[in-house]
Amino acid sequence: MDNEPRWIELETRLAFQEHTLGELSRIVHEQRIDIDALRLRLDRALSDLGSLRDSLAGDAAPEPPPPHY
């Protein structure tokens, strides 16, 4: 019984799976970089928003009454 075609099929499948795993690994790595960059941007935006809130809330000086009073 000749097992050569079976070995060729198994080697072909293995090569395909190795290629697929390499591609998936690359994609996961790229997505991790994107997530880290987005997380940094979100942290900066939240910090800016907090600073803006503090500056707006800091103007608690009494306002003069409107002219019609």
Side-chain angles (χ1 to χ4, degrees):
M1 190 171 208
D2 188 14
N3 285 330
E4 186 71 23
R6 186 167 181 218
W7 281 109
I8 292 173
E9 180 184 349
L10 290 172
E11 289 175 347
T12 302
R13 286 183 183 190
L14 178 61
F16 177 75
Q17 288 177 354
E18 287 176 342
H19 174 75
T20 302
L21 284 174
E23 285 294 306
L24 289 172
S25 179
R26 180 187 62 78
I27 291 169
V28 167
H29 178 71
E30 289 173 359
Q31 288 180 341
R32 183 68 198 171
I33 290 171
D34 290 344
I35 288 170
D36 289 343
L38 289 170
R39 187 171 285 143
L40 180 61
R41 289 176 65 186
L42 176 61
D43 289 344
R44 286 180 182 163
L46 290 173
S47 176
D48 290 347
L49 180 60
S51 297
L52 181 60
R53 268 192 205 145
D54 291 344
S55 69
L56 291 175
D59 291 344
E63 293 186 22
H68 64 276
Y69 277 129

